[in-house]
Amino acid sequence: MRIALLGGTGDIGQGLALRWAYDTNHEVIIGSRDPEKARTKAEEYETELDSRGVDRSINGFENAMAADRANVVVLAVPPYHVSDTVESIADRLDDETTLVSPAVGMKSDESGLHYHKPGAGSVTAVAAEAAPEDVPVVGAFHNLSADRLANLDVQFDVDTLVVGDDADAKETVAALAEGIDGLRALDAGPIENAAEVESVTPLVINIARYNDGMHDVGVKFS
Amino acid sequence: MRIALLGGTGDIGQGLALRWAYDTNHEVIIGSRDPEKARTKAEEYETELDSRGVDRSINGFENAMAADRANVVVLAVPPYHVSDTVESIADRLDDETTLVSPAVGMKSDESGLHYHKPGAGSVTAVAAEAAPEDVPVVGAFHNLSADRLANLDVQFDVDTLVVGDDADAKETVAALAEGIDGLRALDAGPIENAAEVESVTPLVINIARYNDGMHDVGVKFS
């Protein structure tokens, strides 16, 4: 499988890129608005993997070029760039491509972080509204700590919740998630249920803030 | 400690009553708008405990009478009765009483359950607005499966999230929570952070619906 991480130079993009390159045989492509930045970061990830004895080729491209080459395109961009980013790559997508939305809108006050629900109902729904009609959109990887993901010394034992209206696309993304060691994918239903999934992200950040000894908090359901 | 469970004849009230009576030495009082119903249920709980070799006295009263006798009053009523219930017991409360809000507003559609955020920001905030100014309000026990709680054969290993603006009251409630075997209390911050905590309840119900073999889903953070 070819996975393009748009915004793959940011925290969550870096974490997913490293984990997929380290734990699986999927081809990982880094996308950015700036192709030079994408290439530089891709080389950094290669160096990090090489230092762990893993010889992987990771390429960097401008977002549309990265999306063009991929079966799965992860929108690892800030929530307010999701719509723009989807529009900028729309003509590179088709019904064989799955779009993945991990972004969460949050606002902060002195108490902590709060879920900032977009008018569309969720960031996943924003992505689905921006996407061409035949391109399936799946929400996933919202509640993973970018720091834990990017640190390959850390062993995972957490869940990620997957939402989407296309069963095949959801299965593809769940399988990609479970390719990462110690990560389990759970089905949280259609995109209509994405807000409750995205709300977990400010919650885990608040828990890390208010409980001594808890950092980069993850969640498991049982 | 004396704990009054208002709405203690309902599902979550029953579960908390049985667990506290079974796992701790706290005195458990059942409250209901109908004192006869409260007494009948209290006797049922005594019988259930007796069948497990635990000889505990549980009394039932009308809500205001139950609250009058308690150090901690749990508002185990539906979300739309929280405000009324607090007002109906307000003259029995003082700064030595802690009010606990476990209720969550939800609405359902064909996709699943969704968090229904009250105008006040959360049900916990609704309780705090209705409470006399000197009575501390703590949100807790939102995301526990009533069925798992009420079945004393089930061993817990889940977290509950505690929110509140009064540190002492929060500590009291966290200690009560941790008196239940296998239940861990985590601090999620002030009442301002309650919406993200309450949102976990529809999420765990959706997860139970969409994943084979998962029932009465609980959550653990790490």
Side-chain angles (χ1 to χ4, degrees), chain A residues 109 111 114-115 148 161 186-187 189-190 192-193 196 200 203 206-207 210-211 214 217-222, chain B residues 109 111 114-115 148 161 186-187 189-190 192-193 196 200 203 206-207 210-211 214 217-222:
Chain A
D109 62 19
S111 301
H114 304 290
Y115 182 50
R148 257 207 237 190
L161 300 165
L186 291 175
D187 188 351
E192 193 68 29
N193 295 354
E196 284 73 23
V200 174
L203 178 64
N206 291 341
I207 290 172
Y210 285 100
N211 295 274
M214 296 187 80
V217 172
V219 62
K220 257 189 107 69
F221 299 90
S222 62
Chain B
D109 61 19
S111 301
H114 304 289
Y115 182 51
R148 257 207 238 191
L161 300 165
L186 292 176
D187 188 352
E192 193 68 29
N193 295 355
E196 283 74 24
V200 173
L203 178 63
N206 292 341
I207 290 171
Y210 285 100
N211 295 274
M214 295 186 81
V217 172
V219 62
K220 256 188 107 70
F221 299 89
S222 62

Side-chain angles (χ1 to χ4, degrees), chain A residues 3 5 8 10-28 30 45-46 48-49 52 54 56 58 141 144-158 175-183 216:
Chain A
I3 311 169
L5 288 147
D11 285 355
I12 185 80
Q14 170 171 5
L16 289 170
L18 288 171
R19 291 279 172 175
W20 276 320
Y22 193 69
D23 287 341
T24 77
N25 292 318
H26 299 304
E27 185 180 337
V28 175
I30 305 304
Y45 303 162
E46 283 179 346
E48 162 76 9
L49 292 160
R52 295 167 180 272
V54 175
R56 288 296 301 267
I58 301 182
F141 309 116
L144 303 178
S145 156
D147 287 348
R148 257 207 237 190
L149 266 181
N151 182 351
L152 296 174
D153 292 328
V154 173
Q155 172 60 42
F156 265 124
D157 184 21
V158 296
L176 283 184
E178 299 204 334
I180 295 175
D181 288 353
L183 187 60
D216 304 323

Side-chain angles (χ1 to χ4, degrees), chain B residues 6 12 26 45 54 58 73-74 76 79 82 89 111 123 125 131 144 154 182 184 187 193 202-203 211-212 214:
Chain B
L6 311 193
I12 184 81
H26 300 304
Y45 303 162
V54 175
I58 300 182
V73 176
V74 181
V82 164
I89 61 168
S111 301
V123 179
L144 302 179
V154 174
R184 180 178 65 162
D187 188 352
N193 295 355
L203 178 63
N211 295 274
D212 290 343
M214 295 186 81

Side-chain angles (χ1 to χ4, degrees), chain B residues 1 70-73 93-99 134-136 172:
Chain B
M1 186 93 47
N71 313 103
V72 171
V73 176
L93 305 174
D94 58 37
D95 60 2
E96 302 288 301
T97 323
T98 296
L99 272 180
D134 58 343
V135 177
T172 298

